[in-house]
Amino acid sequence: MTSLMGLINLDHEHSVFNELSYFRSSASLPFGGRYRMIDFALSNMVNSNISEVAIFVRNKYRSLLDHIGTGENWELDRRNGGLFILPPDWNDPTDRSQGDLRFFHNNRDYFHRSKSKYVLISGSQFISNTDYKNAFAFHLDRKADVTLITTDVGEVQPEHYPYFRIEADGSDWVTNITNDQKNSELFTGVYIINKDLLMNLVDTCIAYNKDHFFECGIKDKLSEINVQKYKHEGYSAFVNTIESFYKQNMNLLKEENYRDLFFNNNFVRTKISNNPPVKYFEQAVVNHSLLANGCVIDGTVEGSMLFRGVNVKKGATIKNSIIMQRCTIEEGVYLENVILDKDVHVTRNQKIIGSKEKPYVVAKRQVI
Amino acid sequence: MKECVGMLLAGGEGKRLGALTHHGAKPAVPFGGKYRIIDFTLSNCTNSGIQTLGVLTQYSPLELNKHIGNGNPWDMDRQSGGVTVLPPYTGKTGGDWYSGTADAIYQNIHFINQYDPEYVLVISGDHIYQMDYLKMLEQHKETEADTTVSVIEVPWEEASRFGVLSVSDNMRIYEFEEKPKTPQSNLASMGIYIFTWEKLKAYLVDDAHNKASSHDFGKDIIPTMLHNNRRLFAYHFSGYWKDVGTIQSYWEANMDLLHEKSGLYLNDKNWRIYTNDSNLPPQYIGQQATVSNSLINSGCFVYGNIENSVLFKNVRVEEGSTIKQSIIHPEATIAANCILERVIVMENTMIPEGTIIQRGEYEEPLVINEDILGAMLTPAGGDK
């Protein structure tokens, strides 16, 4: 059948968010005022008419399970297909696979049961709002084995360093996958692959004792299979460090970027939490900011992003900061260039100032 | 078997709400920035542990049906019980519209009987309040009442607008008067009843056969029970309660949300109001915007000045516009340099640049939609 099934592979994603990733994988890191990083990959899949999505998770997935639940909020609570969260659960005594190949090997039935002949594979650190219908049509039209989604980032920034660069001939046939830092066309981690080929390549990689599907199965086999690239246009962001996390969230305060990510394309879904509208009191002074429902504001908020349920008391000031869910900022507090993780309580008259380049980060549930 | 089944009356048209109810029933009118009026009673049921509920619809029910759906936002998507929408119907012996509140329950006796309940809670979907029905049920059991009527103290000068109850020291009701000229009491009925089902059923059947009856709880059932010396008790509720029956009271109740002193509070984690959440992105407050004492829902873009107002989802307010003491329903756009004061802008309305509409402090707030706006902006005779 000419339809896609989805796979979000989190196995090789490193969580280098320091305090922010002590207790969670980067996939469940809050982003964009009320979302988690994985919402974008999940929503893009659902918006591409994908109705079955598997997620490979290795560790720190408690918060991810809590966030995604049955998949109801992404309309993935289906009679057929739906959502499959697949933690490491290996019971095959003959199994000698390694790395993410172990996930593929031990979850073969997920692929075999589906009627779809094509798989869309993605990570969670590439943030965009796109459906992959056009890329899929391109994949079919070119009779490709694999189609890599790329994006041209223009100027290469530190957060772009870890990603593969794609070289192609004039007709989008991929000729080389490199680490050439001068090349600004990055592989987004999203690709479409024919299911039968995927399963064959998994077997080959395991036979050669490899531990990384993409590197062994696709990068090293470039001369043997038909790999095409499809360039993503429009808003995109790579988020893999505290610095890029801060920068990309602050970028959303520009209306143009905010509209591109949330309003001009498809609907981005996340977990619903039933908060009331934001309540502004008499003393509230708010501008150039994004605020999610459930916030109660009686202080000053400028150039900042407030997640759901943040409480800003009278006389408190928040500038250029990211304040995650349910933080309480008491009277007289001054915060500038700060990232507060969930449930942080800042007591009266505290003053915390970070720098734009190195924002001050406070871990979850701290009282300061 | 369920101990208590709720019956929520949601069929009213709400004529006095004017244009607000032209296309939908009163309980479905948007309220409080993201809710509909009926969400308050639905959430009261959820928070009180009433898990079996019939919602009686009649007038223009499309939005209401869609809103309630399978009851999921209120945890009422249950295998047994849950929420059931009950419209008027025809059967072997014909059928008819619901002709009164009591008739609506009478026509659904078979619905209640399937659960074989001890008690039936009758409420209506057009009041704004947060109340634990279980406490009222406890009193009902303790007093071994046939009927318990929830009452609230109202100012004496307003008592004549309500159904007023006179009670003895132990809260037993000895007199009930609908809108009396000279009230004997200031305890007003809130239209919330708990009945012992066996007792009520007999009265409903008798009432249905009484051609002279208007088949109304307040006008017929309760007076007849009193006349028969049944055990009727009042349950004293103190807290916020408002019948949002008129444009003025609808506007007031929304404004009450902006003042904590009113007692109406949406941020109470122990008494959440649930609704269909539209899962929209956070609101964007622009560089030049000022916002104070207001409620703003997700998806909004605000560049103007908002004071003492309630904005529903996806509202856009452009630069130089000022909105005071107003309620802006979903998807409305206020273009640049407008002044709106004491108005209610209905869904999808586009207010053109430079529009100024201000209502005086003692005037009824003005409801605006595209039609009303069109009539206002083209003066009669076209001489301007």
mmCIF file of all heavy atoms in Angstrom, chain B residues 62-104:
data_model
loop_
_atom_site.group_PDB
_atom_site.id
_atom_site.type_symbol
_atom_site.label_atom_id
_atom_site.label_comp_id
_atom_site.label_asym_id
_atom_site.label_seq_id
_atom_site.Cartn_x
_atom_site.Cartn_y
_atom_site.Cartn_z
ATOM 1 N N LEU B 62 -27.236 21.848 17.943
ATOM 2 C CA LEU B 62 -26.063 21.377 17.197
ATOM 3 C C LEU B 62 -24.746 21.596 17.950
ATOM 4 O O LEU B 62 -23.975 20.675 18.187
ATOM 5 C CB LEU B 62 -26.005 22.049 15.818
ATOM 6 C CG LEU B 62 -24.782 21.673 14.979
ATOM 7 C CD1 LEU B 62 -24.797 20.212 14.585
ATOM 8 C CD2 LEU B 62 -24.675 22.545 13.737
ATOM 9 N N GLU B 63 -24.506 22.860 18.345
ATOM 10 C CA GLU B 63 -23.244 23.180 19.027
ATOM 11 C C GLU B 63 -23.112 22.423 20.337
ATOM 12 O O GLU B 63 -22.034 21.977 20.706
ATOM 13 C CB GLU B 63 -23.167 24.681 19.332
ATOM 14 C CG GLU B 63 -22.758 25.502 18.130
ATOM 15 C CD GLU B 63 -22.496 26.942 18.495
ATOM 16 O OE1 GLU B 63 -22.660 27.308 19.678
ATOM 17 O OE2 GLU B 63 -22.141 27.708 17.591
ATOM 18 N N LEU B 64 -24.231 22.340 21.026
ATOM 19 C CA LEU B 64 -24.233 21.673 22.324
ATOM 20 C C LEU B 64 -23.891 20.188 22.177
ATOM 21 O O LEU B 64 -23.070 19.648 22.917
ATOM 22 C CB LEU B 64 -25.624 21.850 22.938
ATOM 23 C CG LEU B 64 -25.753 21.751 24.437
ATOM 24 C CD1 LEU B 64 -24.777 22.669 25.131
ATOM 25 C CD2 LEU B 64 -27.180 22.107 24.843
ATOM 26 N N ASN B 65 -24.499 19.546 21.182
ATOM 27 C CA ASN B 65 -24.221 18.121 20.941
ATOM 28 C C ASN B 65 -22.747 17.906 20.623
ATOM 29 O O ASN B 65 -22.115 16.986 21.137
ATOM 30 C CB ASN B 65 -25.044 17.605 19.752
ATOM 31 C CG ASN B 65 -26.506 17.441 20.112
ATOM 32 O OD1 ASN B 65 -26.845 17.336 21.281
ATOM 33 N ND2 ASN B 65 -27.369 17.457 19.122
ATOM 34 N N LYS B 66 -22.223 18.760 19.773
ATOM 35 C CA LYS B 66 -20.825 18.638 19.366
ATOM 36 C C LYS B 66 -19.922 18.867 20.584
ATOM 37 O O LYS B 66 -18.930 18.170 20.771
ATOM 38 C CB LYS B 66 -20.535 19.667 18.282
ATOM 39 C CG LYS B 66 -19.188 19.474 17.655
ATOM 40 C CD LYS B 66 -19.066 20.240 16.344
ATOM 41 C CE LYS B 66 -17.690 20.007 15.758
ATOM 42 N NZ LYS B 66 -16.789 21.126 15.877
ATOM 43 N N HIS B 67 -20.295 19.852 21.376
ATOM 44 C CA HIS B 67 -19.486 20.198 22.546
ATOM 45 C C HIS B 67 -19.420 19.044 23.546
ATOM 46 O O HIS B 67 -18.351 18.692 24.040
ATOM 47 C CB HIS B 67 -20.086 21.440 23.209
ATOM 48 C CG HIS B 67 -19.320 21.920 24.398
ATOM 49 N ND1 HIS B 67 -18.052 22.438 24.289
ATOM 50 C CD2 HIS B 67 -19.626 21.972 25.720
ATOM 51 C CE1 HIS B 67 -17.616 22.787 25.491
ATOM 52 N NE2 HIS B 67 -18.555 22.515 26.374
ATOM 53 N N ILE B 68 -20.546 18.436 23.818
ATOM 54 C CA ILE B 68 -20.589 17.380 24.838
ATOM 55 C C ILE B 68 -19.970 16.089 24.315
ATOM 56 O O ILE B 68 -19.213 15.422 25.021
ATOM 57 C CB ILE B 68 -22.038 17.143 25.307
ATOM 58 C CG1 ILE B 68 -22.539 18.396 26.033
ATOM 59 C CG2 ILE B 68 -22.130 15.928 26.223
ATOM 60 C CD1 ILE B 68 -24.013 18.383 26.335
ATOM 61 N N GLY B 69 -20.243 15.762 23.067
ATOM 62 C CA GLY B 69 -19.652 14.573 22.458
ATOM 63 C C GLY B 69 -19.825 13.343 23.323
ATOM 64 O O GLY B 69 -20.925 13.074 23.816
ATOM 65 N N ASN B 70 -18.763 12.617 23.556
ATOM 66 C CA ASN B 70 -18.864 11.429 24.406
ATOM 67 C C ASN B 70 -18.546 11.750 25.861
ATOM 68 O O ASN B 70 -18.388 10.861 26.682
ATOM 69 C CB ASN B 70 -17.952 10.305 23.888
ATOM 70 C CG ASN B 70 -16.482 10.630 24.046
ATOM 71 O OD1 ASN B 70 -16.125 11.738 24.445
ATOM 72 N ND2 ASN B 70 -15.638 9.673 23.752
ATOM 73 N N GLY B 71 -18.408 13.046 26.164
ATOM 74 C CA GLY B 71 -18.214 13.457 27.547
ATOM 75 C C GLY B 71 -16.781 13.371 28.030
ATOM 76 O O GLY B 71 -16.503 13.576 29.212
ATOM 77 N N ASN B 72 -15.858 13.118 27.116
ATOM 78 C CA ASN B 72 -14.459 12.910 27.491
ATOM 79 C C ASN B 72 -13.839 14.046 28.335
ATOM 80 O O ASN B 72 -13.199 13.767 29.343
ATOM 81 C CB ASN B 72 -13.648 12.629 26.213
ATOM 82 C CG ASN B 72 -12.166 12.570 26.466
ATOM 83 O OD1 ASN B 72 -11.549 13.591 26.720
ATOM 84 N ND2 ASN B 72 -11.600 11.384 26.419
ATOM 85 N N PRO B 73 -14.034 15.328 27.986
ATOM 86 C CA PRO B 73 -13.392 16.381 28.799
ATOM 87 C C PRO B 73 -13.843 16.378 30.255
ATOM 88 O O PRO B 73 -13.148 16.896 31.119
ATOM 89 C CB PRO B 73 -13.813 17.683 28.113
ATOM 90 C CG PRO B 73 -14.156 17.294 26.722
ATOM 91 C CD PRO B 73 -14.722 15.904 26.817
ATOM 92 N N TRP B 74 -15.014 15.815 30.526
ATOM 93 C CA TRP B 74 -15.539 15.804 31.898
ATOM 94 C C TRP B 74 -15.405 14.422 32.544
ATOM 95 O O TRP B 74 -16.085 14.120 33.527
ATOM 96 C CB TRP B 74 -17.010 16.255 31.895
ATOM 97 C CG TRP B 74 -17.140 17.605 31.266
ATOM 98 C CD1 TRP B 74 -16.996 18.817 31.875
ATOM 99 C CD2 TRP B 74 -17.386 17.887 29.875
ATOM 100 N NE1 TRP B 74 -17.123 19.820 30.947
ATOM 101 C CE2 TRP B 74 -17.362 19.290 29.722
ATOM 102 C CE3 TRP B 74 -17.599 17.084 28.752
ATOM 103 C CZ2 TRP B 74 -17.554 19.917 28.490
ATOM 104 C CZ3 TRP B 74 -17.792 17.703 27.528
ATOM 105 C CH2 TRP B 74 -17.768 19.104 27.407
ATOM 106 N N ASP B 75 -14.564 13.579 31.963
ATOM 107 C CA ASP B 75 -14.390 12.209 32.443
ATOM 108 C C ASP B 75 -15.706 11.438 32.426
ATOM 109 O O ASP B 75 -15.942 10.574 33.279
ATOM 110 C CB ASP B 75 -13.843 12.200 33.885
ATOM 111 C CG ASP B 75 -12.334 12.333 33.892
ATOM 112 O OD1 ASP B 75 -11.736 12.241 32.814
ATOM 113 O OD2 ASP B 75 -11.765 12.538 34.980
ATOM 114 N N MET B 76 -16.578 11.772 31.481
ATOM 115 C CA MET B 76 -17.865 11.087 31.448
ATOM 116 C C MET B 76 -17.957 10.116 30.289
ATOM 117 O O MET B 76 -19.043 9.736 29.859
ATOM 118 C CB MET B 76 -18.999 12.104 31.397
ATOM 119 C CG MET B 76 -19.144 12.810 32.722
ATOM 120 S SD MET B 76 -20.740 13.518 32.940
ATOM 121 C CE MET B 76 -20.429 14.495 34.405
ATOM 122 N N ASP B 77 -16.797 9.721 29.738
ATOM 123 C CA ASP B 77 -16.809 8.663 28.732
ATOM 124 C C ASP B 77 -16.620 7.349 29.481
ATOM 125 O O ASP B 77 -15.525 6.825 29.578
ATOM 126 C CB ASP B 77 -15.734 8.893 27.662
ATOM 127 C CG ASP B 77 -14.366 9.214 28.246
ATOM 128 O OD1 ASP B 77 -14.299 9.667 29.401
ATOM 129 O OD2 ASP B 77 -13.360 8.988 27.554
ATOM 130 N N ARG B 78 -17.726 6.859 30.009
ATOM 131 C CA ARG B 78 -17.692 5.670 30.876
ATOM 132 C C ARG B 78 -18.338 4.484 30.184
ATOM 133 O O ARG B 78 -19.226 4.649 29.361
ATOM 134 C CB ARG B 78 -18.477 5.957 32.178
ATOM 135 C CG ARG B 78 -17.944 7.125 32.956
ATOM 136 C CD ARG B 78 -16.629 6.776 33.560
ATOM 137 N NE ARG B 78 -16.051 7.941 34.222
ATOM 138 C CZ ARG B 78 -15.654 7.950 35.491
ATOM 139 N NH1 ARG B 78 -15.752 6.873 36.216
ATOM 140 N NH2 ARG B 78 -15.118 9.028 36.005
ATOM 141 N N GLN B 79 -17.889 3.286 30.575
ATOM 142 C CA GLN B 79 -18.516 2.070 30.046
ATOM 143 C C GLN B 79 -19.935 1.934 30.560
ATOM 144 O O GLN B 79 -20.836 1.549 29.841
ATOM 145 C CB GLN B 79 -17.711 0.850 30.483
ATOM 146 C CG GLN B 79 -16.287 0.887 29.987
ATOM 147 C CD GLN B 79 -15.979 -0.251 29.051
ATOM 148 O OE1 GLN B 79 -16.382 -1.367 29.282
ATOM 149 N NE2 GLN B 79 -15.284 0.032 27.984
ATOM 150 N N SER B 80 -20.115 2.265 31.847
ATOM 151 C CA SER B 80 -21.458 2.190 32.410
ATOM 152 C C SER B 80 -21.811 3.585 32.903
ATOM 153 O O SER B 80 -21.050 4.187 33.640
ATOM 154 C CB SER B 80 -21.449 1.170 33.549
ATOM 155 O OG SER B 80 -22.337 1.575 34.559
ATOM 156 N N GLY B 81 -22.932 4.083 32.481
ATOM 157 C CA GLY B 81 -23.289 5.441 32.866
ATOM 158 C C GLY B 81 -22.655 6.443 31.927
ATOM 159 O O GLY B 81 -22.741 6.309 30.719
ATOM 160 N N GLY B 82 -21.985 7.439 32.482
ATOM 161 C CA GLY B 82 -21.421 8.492 31.647
ATOM 162 C C GLY B 82 -22.496 9.473 31.224
ATOM 163 O O GLY B 82 -23.573 9.528 31.830
ATOM 164 N N VAL B 83 -22.222 10.233 30.179
ATOM 165 C CA VAL B 83 -23.184 11.250 29.765
ATOM 166 C C VAL B 83 -24.002 10.743 28.579
ATOM 167 O O VAL B 83 -23.498 10.059 27.693
ATOM 168 C CB VAL B 83 -22.473 12.590 29.426
ATOM 169 C CG1 VAL B 83 -21.628 12.475 28.179
ATOM 170 C CG2 VAL B 83 -23.481 13.721 29.302
ATOM 171 N N THR B 84 -25.298 11.040 28.613
ATOM 172 C CA THR B 84 -26.195 10.707 27.509
ATOM 173 C C THR B 84 -26.976 11.959 27.144
ATOM 174 O O THR B 84 -27.565 12.601 28.021
ATOM 175 C CB THR B 84 -27.203 9.613 27.918
ATOM 176 O OG1 THR B 84 -26.490 8.532 28.508
ATOM 177 C CG2 THR B 84 -28.003 9.111 26.732
ATOM 178 N N VAL B 85 -26.958 12.342 25.885
ATOM 179 C CA VAL B 85 -27.748 13.489 25.450
ATOM 180 C C VAL B 85 -29.161 13.001 25.149
ATOM 181 O O VAL B 85 -29.338 11.993 24.471
ATOM 182 C CB VAL B 85 -27.107 14.164 24.218
ATOM 183 C CG1 VAL B 85 -27.988 15.289 23.701
ATOM 184 C CG2 VAL B 85 -25.721 14.692 24.570
ATOM 185 N N LEU B 86 -30.148 13.691 25.707
ATOM 186 C CA LEU B 86 -31.531 13.236 25.602
ATOM 187 C C LEU B 86 -32.404 14.285 24.901
ATOM 188 O O LEU B 86 -32.961 15.167 25.540
ATOM 189 C CB LEU B 86 -32.092 12.959 27.008
ATOM 190 C CG LEU B 86 -31.326 11.928 27.857
ATOM 191 C CD1 LEU B 86 -31.768 12.000 29.308
ATOM 192 C CD2 LEU B 86 -31.544 10.532 27.299
ATOM 193 N N PRO B 87 -32.527 14.210 23.589
ATOM 194 C CA PRO B 87 -33.410 15.134 22.880
ATOM 195 C C PRO B 87 -34.851 14.622 22.926
ATOM 196 O O PRO B 87 -35.073 13.449 23.244
ATOM 197 C CB PRO B 87 -32.856 15.096 21.460
ATOM 198 C CG PRO B 87 -32.224 13.757 21.321
ATOM 199 C CD PRO B 87 -31.839 13.284 22.694
ATOM 200 N N PRO B 88 -35.834 15.456 22.610
ATOM 201 C CA PRO B 88 -37.215 14.953 22.517
ATOM 202 C C PRO B 88 -37.280 13.897 21.412
ATOM 203 O O PRO B 88 -36.451 13.902 20.512
ATOM 204 C CB PRO B 88 -38.021 16.187 22.112
ATOM 205 C CG PRO B 88 -37.128 17.352 22.337
ATOM 206 C CD PRO B 88 -35.728 16.874 22.251
ATOM 207 N N TYR B 89 -38.240 13.012 21.498
ATOM 208 C CA TYR B 89 -38.241 11.894 20.554
ATOM 209 C C TYR B 89 -39.668 11.474 20.247
ATOM 210 O O TYR B 89 -40.619 11.876 20.928
ATOM 211 C CB TYR B 89 -37.473 10.713 21.155
ATOM 212 C CG TYR B 89 -38.065 10.243 22.472
ATOM 213 C CD1 TYR B 89 -39.035 9.237 22.513
ATOM 214 C CD2 TYR B 89 -37.681 10.858 23.673
ATOM 215 C CE1 TYR B 89 -39.602 8.850 23.716
ATOM 216 C CE2 TYR B 89 -38.244 10.471 24.863
ATOM 217 C CZ TYR B 89 -39.201 9.462 24.891
ATOM 218 O OH TYR B 89 -39.769 9.084 26.071
ATOM 219 N N THR B 90 -39.854 10.662 19.228
ATOM 220 C CA THR B 90 -41.164 10.055 18.991
ATOM 221 C C THR B 90 -41.053 8.558 19.232
ATOM 222 O O THR B 90 -39.988 7.972 19.057
ATOM 223 C CB THR B 90 -41.645 10.281 17.541
ATOM 224 O OG1 THR B 90 -40.660 9.763 16.664
ATOM 225 C CG2 THR B 90 -41.873 11.748 17.254
ATOM 226 N N GLY B 91 -42.177 7.966 19.649
ATOM 227 C CA GLY B 91 -42.213 6.518 19.880
ATOM 228 C C GLY B 91 -43.481 5.955 19.278
ATOM 229 O O GLY B 91 -44.131 6.607 18.454
ATOM 230 N N LYS B 92 -43.856 4.741 19.656
ATOM 231 C CA LYS B 92 -45.055 4.072 19.131
ATOM 232 C C LYS B 92 -46.311 4.918 19.271
ATOM 233 O O LYS B 92 -47.159 4.957 18.402
ATOM 234 C CB LYS B 92 -45.271 2.738 19.866
ATOM 235 C CG LYS B 92 -44.612 1.555 19.188
ATOM 236 C CD LYS B 92 -45.606 0.798 18.304
ATOM 237 C CE LYS B 92 -44.961 -0.400 17.641
ATOM 238 N NZ LYS B 92 -44.230 -0.014 16.413
ATOM 239 N N THR B 93 -46.417 5.604 20.411
ATOM 240 C CA THR B 93 -47.636 6.376 20.665
ATOM 241 C C THR B 93 -47.431 7.850 20.358
ATOM 242 O O THR B 93 -48.010 8.719 20.992
ATOM 243 C CB THR B 93 -48.066 6.209 22.121
ATOM 244 O OG1 THR B 93 -46.919 6.554 22.932
ATOM 245 C CG2 THR B 93 -48.486 4.795 22.425
ATOM 246 N N GLY B 94 -46.568 8.141 19.407
ATOM 247 C CA GLY B 94 -46.307 9.538 19.065
ATOM 248 C C GLY B 94 -45.242 10.118 19.952
ATOM 249 O O GLY B 94 -44.464 9.398 20.573
ATOM 250 N N GLY B 95 -45.201 11.440 20.001
ATOM 251 C CA GLY B 95 -44.182 12.088 20.824
ATOM 252 C C GLY B 95 -44.391 13.578 20.770
ATOM 253 O O GLY B 95 -45.231 14.072 20.018
ATOM 254 N N ASP B 96 -43.638 14.281 21.569
ATOM 255 C CA ASP B 96 -43.857 15.718 21.618
ATOM 256 C C ASP B 96 -42.599 16.407 22.107
ATOM 257 O O ASP B 96 -41.702 15.780 22.649
ATOM 258 C CB ASP B 96 -45.013 16.036 22.568
ATOM 259 C CG ASP B 96 -45.865 17.168 22.013
ATOM 260 O OD1 ASP B 96 -45.308 18.002 21.268
ATOM 261 O OD2 ASP B 96 -47.070 17.203 22.311
ATOM 262 N N TRP B 97 -42.559 17.710 21.916
ATOM 263 C CA TRP B 97 -41.488 18.512 22.495
ATOM 264 C C TRP B 97 -41.616 18.487 24.009
ATOM 265 O O TRP B 97 -42.685 18.206 24.544
ATOM 266 C CB TRP B 97 -41.573 19.951 21.996
ATOM 267 C CG TRP B 97 -41.392 20.066 20.521
ATOM 268 C CD1 TRP B 97 -42.375 20.295 19.604
ATOM 269 C CD2 TRP B 97 -40.169 19.927 19.796
ATOM 270 N NE1 TRP B 97 -41.838 20.310 18.337
ATOM 271 C CE2 TRP B 97 -40.480 20.085 18.428
ATOM 272 C CE3 TRP B 97 -38.840 19.675 20.158
ATOM 273 C CZ2 TRP B 97 -39.504 20.008 17.433
ATOM 274 C CZ3 TRP B 97 -37.880 19.606 19.173
ATOM 275 C CH2 TRP B 97 -38.214 19.766 17.817
ATOM 276 N N TYR B 98 -40.520 18.793 24.683
ATOM 277 C CA TYR B 98 -40.594 18.942 26.138
ATOM 278 C C TYR B 98 -41.392 20.207 26.436
ATOM 279 O O TYR B 98 -41.024 21.295 26.004
ATOM 280 C CB TYR B 98 -39.191 19.078 26.743
ATOM 281 C CG TYR B 98 -38.295 17.869 26.535
ATOM 282 C CD1 TYR B 98 -36.917 18.033 26.369
ATOM 283 C CD2 TYR B 98 -38.806 16.576 26.534
ATOM 284 C CE1 TYR B 98 -36.077 16.935 26.196
ATOM 285 C CE2 TYR B 98 -37.973 15.474 26.363
ATOM 286 C CZ TYR B 98 -36.617 15.659 26.197
ATOM 287 O OH TYR B 98 -35.792 14.569 26.019
ATOM 288 N N SER B 99 -42.494 20.073 27.181
ATOM 289 C CA SER B 99 -43.330 21.252 27.405
ATOM 290 C C SER B 99 -43.015 21.963 28.703
ATOM 291 O O SER B 99 -43.547 23.012 28.985
ATOM 292 C CB SER B 99 -44.813 20.853 27.355
ATOM 293 O OG SER B 99 -45.051 19.909 28.377
ATOM 294 N N GLY B 100 -42.118 21.406 29.509
ATOM 295 C CA GLY B 100 -41.717 22.074 30.740
ATOM 296 C C GLY B 100 -40.601 21.276 31.374
ATOM 297 O O GLY B 100 -40.273 20.178 30.907
ATOM 298 N N THR B 101 -40.014 21.813 32.434
ATOM 299 C CA THR B 101 -38.877 21.122 33.048
ATOM 300 C C THR B 101 -39.280 19.752 33.586
ATOM 301 O O THR B 101 -38.565 18.765 33.412
ATOM 302 C CB THR B 101 -38.280 21.971 34.185
ATOM 303 O OG1 THR B 101 -39.343 22.352 35.071
ATOM 304 C CG2 THR B 101 -37.591 23.223 33.651
ATOM 305 N N ALA B 102 -40.467 19.687 34.210
ATOM 306 C CA ALA B 102 -40.908 18.409 34.774
ATOM 307 C C ALA B 102 -41.259 17.427 33.662
ATOM 308 O O ALA B 102 -40.974 16.229 33.757
ATOM 309 C CB ALA B 102 -42.105 18.616 35.692
ATOM 310 N N ASP B 103 -41.846 17.949 32.581
ATOM 311 C CA ASP B 103 -42.205 17.090 31.461
ATOM 312 C C ASP B 103 -40.964 16.469 30.830
ATOM 313 O O ASP B 103 -40.967 15.303 30.426
ATOM 314 C CB ASP B 103 -42.988 17.905 30.417
ATOM 315 C CG ASP B 103 -43.406 17.043 29.225
ATOM 316 O OD1 ASP B 103 -44.045 16.000 29.475
ATOM 317 O OD2 ASP B 103 -43.065 17.400 28.088
ATOM 318 N N ALA B 104 -39.894 17.246 30.754
ATOM 319 C CA ALA B 104 -38.645 16.733 30.172
ATOM 320 C C ALA B 104 -38.142 15.531 30.964
ATOM 321 O O ALA B 104 -37.700 14.536 30.384
ATOM 322 C CB ALA B 104 -37.591 17.831 30.141
#
